[in-house]
Amino acid sequence: MKIIITGATGMIGEGVLLAALNHPAITGVLMVNRRTFQLRHPKLSELIVKDFTDLDAHGAQLTGYDGCFYCAGISSFGMNEEKYNHITFYTTLMFAKRLADLNPHMVFFYLSGVYADSSENGKIMWARVKGKTENTLKKLHFRAAYSFRPGFIIPLKVQENVRLIYKGLNFIYPFLFRNQTLTYDEIVNALARVLTIGYKEKILEIKDLKLIARQNESNE
């Protein structure tokens, strides 16, 4: 399968990218970035897009893919709702709509967050916006659209973009909260399996990702 990954210059996007490049069923990866990411791999190609809301000049490069792992995003810390909504909701939806037009048989995976608010009516701003994004993506004309909520992810040793707090938490979190912790291999194994055979739920919580990853390993 051939996939698109966004957000490779960020922590989670980089981890997903590295795990995807090692996955045997993934034969090609196009990373779509706003700036160059210095990584070379036989499976990997790169497309620089300055504005994710305007893909008209890049249609040919974005056509012919089976899935998209959309990991681009930004922290809500210090941001007002209008700006956060523009980046998290509007930009994501514009990018996804164009991909759906170019690849109607694509499966789209959106990196959301634990406690995203599917009701869109809660008091926490980032959770409302994430929930609205999840809900709207499901209405687009993809073969299927899923949101994954991974929680704490164990950093890869080869990762460059790992926040200092994650390096510290990595010494204790996986041991104290094992059921709330995932590896990047588990995430990519789960997403690749869902891309291939589907899944009953459109929101993939930690327990779903773990279950699907185990099923994938047992079938190999």
Side-chain angles (χ1 to χ4, degrees):
M1 63 187 78
K2 294 173 61 180
I3 64 169
I4 293 170
I5 294 180
T6 69
T9 56
M11 184 179 68
I12 295 180
E14 181 192 28
V16 169
L17 171 65
L18 294 171
L21 291 173
N22 287 327
H23 195 287
I26 296 176
T27 57
V29 177
L30 173 68
M31 57 178 178
V32 181
N33 297 325
R34 293 184 178 88
R35 63 182 188 275
T36 298
F37 185 55
Q38 298 298 329
L39 178 65
R40 300 293 178 265
H41 190 281
K43 293 183 182 180
L44 183 64
S45 56
E46 182 181 53
L47 174 64
I48 301 299
V49 176
K50 297 298 183 182
D51 183 357
F52 275 29
T53 69
D54 183 5
L55 301 177
D56 289 345
H58 309 291
Q61 297 104 311
L62 294 169
T63 300
Y65 288 89
D66 304 296
C68 176
F69 298 170
Y70 191 93
C71 302
I74 194 168
S75 170
S76 64
F77 183 76
M79 298 186 70
N80 61 42
E81 184 164 352
E82 181 180 3
K83 186 173 182 180
Y84 186 72
N85 184 79
H86 180 83
I87 295 171
T88 301
F89 175 75
Y90 178 75
T91 300
T92 302
L93 264 293
M94 292 298 289
F95 187 93
K97 283 180 179 180
R98 187 64 180 131
L99 279 193
D101 291 339
L102 296 169
N103 304 279
H105 298 292
M106 172 181 279
V107 178
F108 190 91
F109 295 92
Y110 170 62
L111 173 63
S112 186
V114 176
Y115 309 123
D117 180 10
S118 298
S119 76
E120 305 180 31
N121 294 315
K123 294 181 179 180
I124 301 174
M125 181 271 284
W126 73 261
R128 289 197 308 271
V129 175
K130 286 279 191 180
K132 180 173 68 170
T133 306
E134 291 180 346
N135 292 338
T136 308
L137 284 169
K138 289 186 289 188
K139 300 174 185 178
L140 299 185
H141 299 297
F142 290 110
R143 176 157 60 93
Y146 298 87
S147 297
F148 63 108
R149 301 175 175 179
F152 185 86
I153 312 170
I154 299 174
L156 296 168
K157 292 182 179 180
V158 295
Q159 273 190 265
E160 296 181 3
N161 300 311
V162 179
R163 298 169 192 160
L164 185 61
I165 189 172
Y166 267 74
K167 292 181 180 180
L169 289 173
N170 190 43
F171 289 105
I172 57 173
Y173 205 97
F175 301 99
L176 296 178
F177 306 101
R178 186 170 183 176
N179 291 334
Q180 301 299 314
T181 302
L182 288 161
T183 68
Y184 284 103
D185 285 336
E186 285 180 315
I187 292 171
V188 171
N189 282 339
L191 300 188
R193 183 171 174 82
V194 173
L195 195 161
T196 304
I197 66 172
Y199 192 67
K200 60 183 182 299
E201 304 293 341
K202 291 298 186 288
I203 294 177
L204 307 175
E205 304 279 4
I206 296 169
K207 60 180 175 56
D208 299 299
L209 294 166
K210 281 185 169 294
L211 174 62
I212 300 164
R214 286 197 299 267
Q215 291 174 339
N216 189 59
E217 291 170 359
S218 66
N219 289 328
E220 289 180 353

